[in-house]
């Protein structure tokens, strides 16, 4: 159903009322008149132009770069994670990420149970746990200076 001219006029009047209210709000905070604010006609401005128009207080370049880069970094991280999960799922022969995670959880449980059995067997046999670091090599024998001194005529 097409809008009537009267409906379009009502919507246009409402938009203009909202624009006037917003312009008054911005003008009050920016030391401008509502007419000066409305002259921009809802324009999008880069920071430098907004400063020139009196609609910005300053430019924080580091913050702007950080804010602009954040979504890209998050997307890259998500893509890397997705690729890693796909590779893990393929290596495990899993059909989905969830299946791969379930397989990993099962393998961890099995490994943990096997490790506990090995430790229990060593304790029963009285075997000491293998040391993580090897013992130092034996020191070479050094000649004693007193033995050489007493051999002199």
């Amino acid at each position: 159903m097409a809008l009537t001219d009267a409906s379009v006029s009502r919507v246009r009047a409402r938009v203009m009322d909202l624009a006037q209210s917003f312009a008054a709000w911005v003008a009050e905070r920016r030391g401008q008149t509502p007419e000066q604010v409305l002259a921009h006609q809802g324009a999008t401005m880069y920071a430098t132009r907004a400063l020139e128009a009196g609609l910005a207080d300053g430019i924080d370049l580091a913050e702007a770069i950080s804010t602009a880069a954040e979504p890209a970094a998050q997307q890259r991280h998500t893509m890397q994670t997705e690729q890693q999960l796909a590779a893990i799922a393929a290596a495990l022969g899993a059909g989905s990420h969830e299946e791969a995670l379930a397989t990993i959880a099962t393998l961890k449980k099995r490994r943990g149970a096997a490790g506990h059995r090995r430790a229990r067997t060593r304790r029963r046999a009285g075997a000491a746990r293998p040391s993580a670091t090897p013992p130092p090599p034996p020191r070479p024998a050094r000649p004693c200076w007193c033995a050489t001194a007493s051999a002199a005529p």
Side-chain angles (χ1 to χ4, degrees), residues 5 8-9 13 21 26 34 42 57 86-87 99 101 110 114 116-117 120 126 136 148 153:
D5 289 339
V8 172
S9 294
S21 296
V26 171
D57 294 324
E99 188 179 334
L101 292 173
R110 287 182 187 165
H116 290 300
R117 281 193 299 273
R120 192 171 43 240
T148 29

Side-chain angles (χ1 to χ4, degrees), residues 87-103:
I88 291 168
L92 293 172
S96 68
H97 299 153
E98 291 79 15
E99 188 179 334
L101 292 173
T103 302

Side-chain angles (χ1 to χ4, degrees), residues 9-152:
S9 294
R10 280 194 304 273
V11 171
R12 183 170 286 136
R14 180 70 179 136
V15 168
M16 291 308 296
D17 286 344
L18 290 172
Q20 286 292 333
S21 296
F22 180 71
W25 183 86
V26 171
E28 180 181 317
R29 285 156 180 78
R30 290 283 154 199
Q32 298 181 7
T33 66
E35 291 75 26
Q36 289 172 312
V37 174
L38 286 173
H40 299 296
Q41 290 292 313
T44 301
M45 297 177 197
Y46 288 106
T48 306
R49 176 70 185 105
L51 277 173
E52 292 168 358
L55 298 174
D57 294 324
I59 302 170
D60 185 349
L61 188 58
E63 179 66 24
I65 291 170
S66 174
T67 302
E70 191 173 311
Q74 182 60 37
Q75 182 180 13
R76 187 182 70 235
H77 175 72
T78 300
M79 288 172 51
Q80 288 173 346
T81 302
E82 290 294 322
Q83 290 168 344
Q84 290 169 346
L85 284 173
I88 291 168
L92 293 172
S96 68
H97 299 153
E98 291 79 15
E99 188 179 334
L101 292 173
T103 302
I104 291 168
T106 301
L107 292 171
K108 284 178 77 173
K109 283 182 186 177
R110 287 182 187 165
R111 187 182 79 196
H116 290 300
R117 281 193 299 273
R118 283 192 301 271
R120 192 171 43 240
T121 303
R122 277 196 305 269
R123 281 194 300 271
R124 285 184 187 154
R129 285 186 68 118
S131 175
T133 57
R139 291 179 146 174
R142 289 189 270 168
C144 179
W145 65 271
C146 56
T148 29
S150 61

